[in-house]
RNA sequence: GCGCCCGUAGCUCAGGUGGAUAGAGCAGCAGCCUUCUAAGCUGUUGGUCGGAGGUUCGAAUCCUCCCGGGCGCACCA
């Protein structure tokens, strides 16, 4: 980190010295192949053309012109087409131990966000049924993205949007009312496109048990009204419970009905009209979204006077903007991806910057058990529920698995693997590494957090696994920063697997307690334990002391 | 038909704002327990990066076309 800055500065100066006036973008990064050093730059390749010299000659000039403070770099090499490779002095690597110790659970945090307010909206399931595994993936992803942004210095609000005003809710009410009628032995049918799951049968029975059978004799409009209220409340409560169990907390639950109550729909319509981006045609009111990159213009108010789903959604995001968010990040299922362009167009029509709104699309989840795909839940007759999955695999495994893959990959959740207690299971593997590091301190009867801080003698930690661990630890803040920038939590799970791998190898090969290197190795074990815990904690996964 | 996403080892996937011989895990094969957890470790086999062109000193990465899979194309939500 410190060495990194010194080298980048040194390279810039050197480039100026050899006659480069305007410096193009260049890279200084950790090479994949360790034989290429601890850091490498493509600077010579990038400026060679401008100088009219072969890249390798430019690299030699650069190295000659480069001045660095003493003790940072052990060796500099020119390699391949003109890369310059830097090998850091070993005691530079050990410096990370003091940093980790000093920062503790803050190690890995950054401040690139500078407190900018960001709204992360996720799950936002309709209150018409239980959460399924797809919602689970969205929940894990949204929560992790929110955590990443929090870690990098943004002011994050986790938000859940409830569609409690649309036609889906009418269908819920009708479906529930039908189940109530059936429960008292009358012929009634769940309407087309309604909700056929078993859970409404159970709910109807609970209603009758609580309200008495007279409930079924209510006039239909009254019955539907009551079913609507009870249905939404009940499903909301169920979803809340699932999410609580999953460890996901929201700062704001926003109800669509609030948009109507506060007349935000009308205000939004007026705003768009005033900006000249709406027009009437065929009795409907249209948004000229094609002016902002959409395929076709979109209806906001239908010819029958009612609103399309799009309008409240625009009003909702307009409200987010009014609440002072610099960014609104929405986590959406793949079945909504066609919707992105029109919402983005609406945001631009309202004059918001084009980086205000971002939709992260999550692909569908397939669940495999015993080598076969599991499609439906027995209880609900719908997709596999989040609750069933959690019961089977536990929260930690479910979260880790949902976060292992890029959001845009269609992924297969292997239930058997998630449950297994072996090295094949990546969650288990990472947690085990943490437990082993913890075990050393348990046996030593010492608290890893109260270890004497550096000075750690860097020249003592010389084994290849130890140097690898030090480099890997130092990389953590950069990995967090990159994961936050790209909204890709899978970078964290991947990092943790890699760190755990080296930790297991080191643990297996060397002893800590009672060795001449005990002091330094304890410091190393404490730092590894800390970083594993920080990474797991960021993702909402526990870091057990023992397993 | 049009749009978006994806196609990398037997399997599940990284790498994708161009960079050095394309990576990991699992599975397979061969080994390793007097040790702070063998709930683990070591070694090894395995790839025309879907295909064909193009841009470039350099392409898994960028562009075009084609093939295959997913999703979406409402005055539904």
């Amino acid at each position: 980190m410190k060495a990194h800055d010194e080298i980048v500065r040194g390279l810039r100066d050197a480039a100026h010295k050899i006659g480069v006036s305007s410096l193009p973008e260049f890279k200084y990064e950790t090479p994949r192949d360790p034989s290429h050093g601890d850091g490498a730059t493509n600077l010579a390749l990038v400026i060679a053309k401008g100088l009219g010299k072969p890249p390798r000659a430019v690299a030699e000039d650069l190295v000659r012109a480069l001045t660095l403070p003493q003790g940072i770099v052990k060796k500099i090499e020119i390699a391949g087409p003109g890369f310059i490779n830097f090998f850091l002095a070993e005691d530079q690597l050990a410096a990370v131990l003091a940093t980790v110790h000093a920062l503790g659970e803050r190690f890995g945090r950054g401040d690139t966000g500078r407190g900018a307010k960001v709204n992360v909206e996720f799950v936002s399931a309709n209150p018409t049924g239980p959460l399924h595994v797809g919602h689970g993936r969205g929940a894990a992803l949204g929560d992790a993205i929110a955590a990443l942004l929090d870690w990098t210095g943004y002011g994050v609000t986790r938000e859940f949007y409830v569609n409690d005003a649309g036609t889906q809710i009418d269908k819920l009410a009708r479906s529930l009312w039908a189940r109530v009628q059936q429960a008292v032995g009358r012929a009634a049918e769940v309407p087309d496109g309604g909700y056929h799951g078993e859970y409404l049968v159970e709910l109807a029975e609970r209603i009758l048990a609580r309200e008495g059978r007279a409930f079924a004799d209510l006039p239909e409009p009254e019955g539907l009204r009551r079913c609507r209220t009870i249905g939404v409340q009940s499903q909301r409560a169920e979803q809340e419970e699932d999410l609580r169990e999953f460890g996901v907390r929201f700062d704001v639950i926003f109800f669509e009905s609030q948009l109507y109550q506060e007349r935000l729909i009308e205000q939004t319509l007026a705003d768009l009209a005033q900006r000249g981006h709406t027009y009437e045609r065929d009795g409907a009111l249209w948004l000229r979204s094609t002016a902002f990159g959409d395929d076709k213009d979109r209806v906001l108010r239908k010819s029958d006077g009612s609103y399309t789903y799009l309008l409240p959604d625009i009003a909702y995001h307009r409200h987010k903007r009014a609440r002072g968010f610099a960014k609104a990040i929405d986590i959406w299922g793949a079945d909504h991806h066609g919707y992105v362009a029109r919402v983005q167009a609406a945001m631009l029509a309202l004059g918001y910057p084009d980086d205000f709104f971002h939709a992260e699309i999550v692909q569908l989840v397939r669940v495999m058990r015993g080598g076969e795909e599991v499609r439906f839940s027995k209880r609900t007759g719908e997709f596999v529920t989040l609750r069933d999955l959690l019961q089977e695999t536990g929260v930690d495994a479910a979260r880790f698995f949902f976060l292992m893959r890029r959001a845009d990959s269609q992924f297969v959740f292997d239930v058997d693997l998630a449950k297994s207690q072996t090295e094949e299971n990546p969650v288990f593997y990472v947690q085990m590494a943490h437990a082993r590091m913890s075990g050393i301190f348990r046996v030593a009867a010492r608290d890893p957090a109260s270890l004497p801080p550096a000075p750690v003698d860097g020249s003592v930690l010389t084994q290849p696994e130890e140097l690898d661990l030090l480099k890997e630890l130092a990389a953590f803040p950069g990995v967090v920063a990159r994961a936050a920038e790209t909204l890709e939590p899978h970078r964290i799970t991947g990092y943790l697997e890699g760190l755990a791998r080296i930790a297991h190898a080191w643990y297996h090969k060397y002893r800590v307690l009672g060795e001449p290197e005990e002091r330094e190795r304890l410091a190393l074990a404490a730092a590894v334990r800390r970083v594993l815990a920080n990474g797991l904690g960021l993702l909402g996964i526990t870091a057990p002391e023992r397993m």
Side-chain angles (χ1 to χ4, degrees):
Chain A
M1 298 177 288
K2 190 158 174 283
H4 175 281
D5 297 341
E6 293 285 359
I7 290 170
V8 170
R9 186 179 329 138
L11 285 170
R12 274 185 217 284
D13 293 346
H16 284 294
K17 277 188 219 164
I18 66 169
V20 177
S21 47
S22 70
L23 198 60
E25 287 230 353
F26 68 98
K27 284 182 181 171
Y28 175 77
E29 57 191 8
T30 308
R32 235 197 303 255
D33 183 343
S35 74
H36 295 145
D38 301 310
T41 183
N42 65 346
L43 179 59
L45 284 80
V46 174
I47 61 176
K49 193 174 272 181
L51 293 168
K53 285 173 141 183
R56 282 196 71 108
V58 173
E60 284 170 29
D61 292 345
L62 278 172
V63 172
R64 241 192 313 277
L66 180 66
T67 52
L68 290 174
Q70 284 293 314
I72 289 187
V73 165
K74 184 174 63 179
K75 187 172 62 165
I76 298 176
E77 280 180 359
I78 296 168
F83 291 97
I84 305 173
N85 298 334
F86 296 85
F87 295 79
L88 299 184
E90 263 96 18
D91 53 354
Q92 284 292 313
L93 296 176
V96 70
L97 296 182
T99 308
V100 175
H101 182 270
L103 296 178
E105 59 186 20
R106 298 191 57 79
F107 179 72
R109 286 185 176 265
D111 63 352
T112 49
R114 298 181 187 285
K117 284 180 68 180
V118 179
N119 183 289
V120 182
E121 182 212 323
F122 57 109
V123 186
S124 297
N126 286 342
T128 52
L131 299 178
H132 54 70
V133 287
H135 293 123
R137 190 180 189 187
L141 193 79
D143 198 40
I145 285 174
L148 281 168
L149 293 171
D150 177 59
W151 271 62
T152 46
Y154 291 88
V156 179
T157 296
R158 290 169 167 83
E159 188 151 325
F160 186 118
Y161 179 62
V162 184
N163 293 116
D164 62 339
T167 57
Q168 295 309 312
I169 303 302
D170 294 335
K171 286 180 183 164
L172 174 74
R174 289 182 187 286
S175 303
L176 182 55
W177 182 245
R179 292 304 195 189
V180 167
Q181 297 305 313
Q182 288 170 359
V184 296
R186 293 176 193 152
E189 285 209 15
V190 174
D192 262 6
Y195 296 92
H196 295 265
E198 191 71 15
Y199 60 94
L200 288 186
V201 177
E202 293 166 13
L203 180 56
E205 280 162 9
R206 284 207 301 278
I207 292 170
L208 290 171
R210 195 179 58 216
E211 307 280 336
R213 295 177 70 86
F215 184 90
D217 298 325
L218 289 170
E220 185 169 272
E222 172 68 2
L224 284 174
R225 201 186 58 74
R226 297 280 305 273
C227 278
R228 186 183 171 97
T229 307
I230 293 169
V232 169
Q233 267 172 9
S234 154
Q235 296 313 311
R236 276 290 310 141
E238 298 263 325
Q239 292 180 2
E240 287 274 358
E241 196 183 321
D242 289 353
L243 289 166
R244 196 179 316 119
E245 188 184 336
F246 200 38
V248 176
R249 282 285 158 86
F250 289 91
D251 303 303
V252 176
I253 306 287
F254 193 98
F255 290 87
E256 183 185 2
S257 50
Q258 186 181 336
L259 297 170
Y260 292 89
Q261 283 158 20
E262 297 181 10
R263 310 200 59 76
L264 293 169
I265 308 279
E266 289 82 355
Q267 289 173 26
T268 301
L269 219 42
D271 192 350
L272 287 167
Q274 193 196 332
R275 288 168 188 274
H277 302 313
T278 61
Y279 61 91
E280 300 225 19
R281 193 180 76 201
D282 306 332
L285 186 73
W286 297 69
L287 173 69
R288 193 173 284 108
S289 55
T290 48
F292 302 96
D294 197 6
D295 305 359
K296 52 179 96 164
D297 290 343
R298 306 292 173 176
V299 172
L300 297 174
R301 191 183 57 220
K302 300 181 236 176
S303 51
D304 69 2
S306 65
Y307 299 131
T308 61
Y309 180 76
L310 179 61
L311 182 57
D313 230 25
I314 297 170
Y316 174 44
H317 285 83
R318 182 170 173 274
H319 188 250
K320 286 183 187 175
R321 179 79 182 169
R323 280 186 279 159
F325 291 107
K327 276 176 186 288
I329 296 171
D330 291 15
I331 314 293
W332 288 355
D335 53 342
H336 285 77
H337 84 259
Y339 204 69
V340 175
R342 72 192 72 169
V343 172
Q344 172 66 358
M347 297 298 101
L348 296 176
L350 286 167
Y352 303 159
D354 63 2
D355 65 347
F356 170 69
F357 171 76
H358 175 85
E360 189 69 16
I361 299 301
V362 190
Q363 291 294 331
L364 307 181
V365 179
R366 292 196 299 152
V367 178
M368 299 288 283
R369 181 194 291 116
E372 283 185 8
E373 181 164 0
V374 189
R375 293 206 70 103
F376 300 104
S377 157
K378 291 200 174 83
R379 191 172 74 85
T380 64
E382 299 198 7
F383 298 112
V384 180
T385 62
L386 177 60
R387 184 171 297 181
D388 291 348
L389 183 77
L390 291 182
Q391 231 159 49
E392 208 165 344
T393 67
V395 172
D396 286 344
R399 278 198 174 235
F400 196 97
F401 271 59
F402 281 134
L403 296 173
M404 275 194 305
R405 309 298 178 215
R406 301 167 54 106
D408 60 10
S409 75
Q410 303 161 26
F411 116 101
V412 177
F413 195 118
D414 184 337
V415 172
D416 302 312
L417 180 60
K419 286 161 67 178
S420 86
Q421 306 262 303
T422 67
E423 51 156 331
E424 297 158 38
N425 181 350
V427 197
F428 187 81
Y429 187 83
V430 173
Q431 289 183 320
M432 186 65 202
H434 181 270
R436 281 184 145 173
M437 296 301 122
S438 302
I440 298 173
F441 293 93
R442 188 167 56 246
V443 170
R446 298 185 64 173
D447 175 1
S450 71
L451 265 190
V456 168
D457 184 355
S459 66
V460 173
L461 296 172
T462 55
Q463 301 297 341
E465 291 83 356
E466 294 175 334
L467 299 177
D468 284 352
L469 279 175
L470 291 171
K471 288 178 196 170
E472 201 71 4
L473 293 173
F476 183 60
V479 172
V480 174
R482 181 80 176 134
E485 189 186 320
T486 56
L487 308 179
E488 293 179 336
H490 78 270
R491 293 173 186 275
I492 305 296
T493 53
Y495 170 83
L496 290 172
E497 286 184 69
L499 179 58
R501 179 149 298 106
I502 313 171
H504 279 302
W506 175 73
Y507 177 91
H508 178 77
K509 198 162 166 185
Y510 308 103
R511 281 191 60 81
V512 174
L513 302 178
E515 299 294 307
E517 302 90 342
E518 178 177 305
R519 177 189 167 85
E520 284 72 22
R521 286 186 175 163
L522 274 174
L524 178 58
V528 171
R529 177 177 172 278
R530 175 85 268 159
V531 173
L532 287 170
N534 285 5
L536 287 169
L538 192 163
L539 302 178
I541 299 168
T542 61
E545 292 290 317
R546 61 198 313 167
M547 304 189 71

